[in-house]
Amino acid sequence: MKTLNQLVRPNILNLAPYSCARDEFKGREARVFLDANESPYNSPYNRYPDPLQLALKEKLSRIKGVPVENMCLGNGSDETIDLAYRCFCRPGIDNVVAIEPTYGMYKVCADINNVEYRKVLLDDNYQLSADAILAACNGNTKLIWICSPNNPTGNLMNAEEVEKVLRQFEGIVVVDEAYSDFTKARSWRSRISEFPNIIVLNTMSKAWGCAAIRLGMAFASKDI
Ligand SMILES: *Cc1c(COP(=O)(O)O)cnc(C)c1O
């Protein structure tokens, strides 16, 4: 794997974290937060929420078996898909590789971010070949998209082939497990400490029946 310094877009690496009024006041009691220009009326909707969503992450941590520090929440997992492009892919320069057919949002977000999208057909059993995927990569390939169980084919991707991609690819491998609740197979989120280049996506939208709340999860190394 390349280092994250080599993989992350330079403008993202150079970001200074935005410090909100809430962060600056942490640990003290207050009834009004005039520095955030919130209304004192219409509780609780008048308040900006915790930007790190810690109370929610602690609950999810117990369900998912992943530490809070390895979790990033999105407005649906669709937002985390877009974030992966924005973190790693320089528009007009970098590319991504994905299995085909698969979930349509990877291509939509590639087009929005002006990132070349390379498709590698699944075989006649709808399985991926690690060698075919790796052969489609070049020095500017930043992300590989693997959806497992795959939408729309419904099958799990062969774990040995996925592991081969994880071990041999120099960039980030995103394993989208939107449908992992429907299978007894071990989730890749239990192996994030083994693979520094994996991002695993989960969602509340499918088996949990909560598409309306727009809650997606990304699990990865703390550094990612
Ligand atoms: C539905 C779906 C998503 C998006 O889920 P949201 O969390 O609702 O944005 C992501 N990946 C796959 C494979 C899906 O089928």
Side-chain angles (χ1 to χ4, degrees):
M1 182 190 167
K2 290 178 180 165
T3 65
L4 282 179
N5 281 342
Q6 294 169 293
L7 291 170
V8 175
R9 286 171 63 187
N11 58 309
I12 301 296
L13 270 181
N14 291 334
L15 283 175
Y18 176 74
S19 174
C20 71
R22 272 293 181 288
D23 292 333
E24 284 159 19
F25 206 76
K26 211 171 255 168
R28 284 176 283 177
E29 277 301 312
R31 305 262 309 277
V32 288
F33 291 91
L34 292 182
D35 53 350
N37 294 332
E38 293 170 351
S39 169
Y41 307 113
N42 201 31
S43 176
Y45 307 108
N46 55 335
R47 300 301 179 201
Y48 282 108
D50 171 11
L52 296 175
Q53 310 103 18
L54 283 175
L56 177 57
K57 282 178 177 168
E58 272 154 26
K59 291 197 169 172
L60 290 169
S61 173
R62 269 172 262 142
I63 294 168
K64 298 290 181 178
V66 175
V68 167
E69 63 175 23
N70 298 105
M71 206 180 287
C72 170
L73 304 184
N75 188 18
S77 45
D78 283 350
E79 187 191 14
T80 63
I81 292 167
D82 186 59
L83 280 175
Y85 282 101
R86 289 160 63 192
C87 287
F88 294 106
C89 301
R90 292 167 297 174
I93 301 174
D94 292 326
N95 67 71
V96 304
V97 170
I99 57 173
E100 174 72 13
T102 193
Y103 182 49
M105 195 57 77
Y106 314 139
K107 171 78 165 65
V108 171
C109 288
D111 291 343
I112 289 171
N113 289 285
N114 190 25
V115 170
E116 183 196 347
Y117 184 87
R118 300 179 173 196
K119 302 171 181 179
V120 177
L121 271 186
L122 296 173
D123 71 15
D124 291 345
N125 297 316
Y126 299 133
Q127 267 306 330
L128 68 83
S129 148
D131 289 339
I133 285 180
L134 293 165
C137 300
N138 70 4
N140 285 340
T141 307
K142 293 293 184 66
L143 305 174
I144 292 176
W145 294 99
I146 297 177
C147 185
S148 181
N150 186 33
N151 172 357
T153 58
N155 59 317
L156 281 164
M157 294 298 112
N158 182 304
E160 285 92 68
E161 292 294 300
V162 175
E163 183 161 345
K164 186 169 176 186
V165 173
L166 281 162
R167 293 200 187 280
Q168 296 193 11
F169 179 51
E170 306 225 281
I172 305 292
V173 181
V174 186
V175 182
D176 183 347
E177 292 191 329
Y179 300 95
S180 63
D181 303 290
F182 295 99
T183 164
K184 294 197 173 78
R186 182 179 178 194
S187 167
W188 288 94
R189 69 174 182 269
S190 68
R191 301 184 67 182
I192 54 176
S193 57
E194 256 179 87
F195 303 105
N197 59 339
I198 195 171
I199 299 176
V200 180
L201 306 183
N202 278 188
T203 178
M204 294 300 286
S205 298
K206 306 294 160 65
W208 292 77
C210 291
I213 66 172
R214 310 305 301 127
L215 178 57
M217 292 144 260
F219 306 107
S221 73
K222 183 169 187 270
D223 287 344
I224 290 182

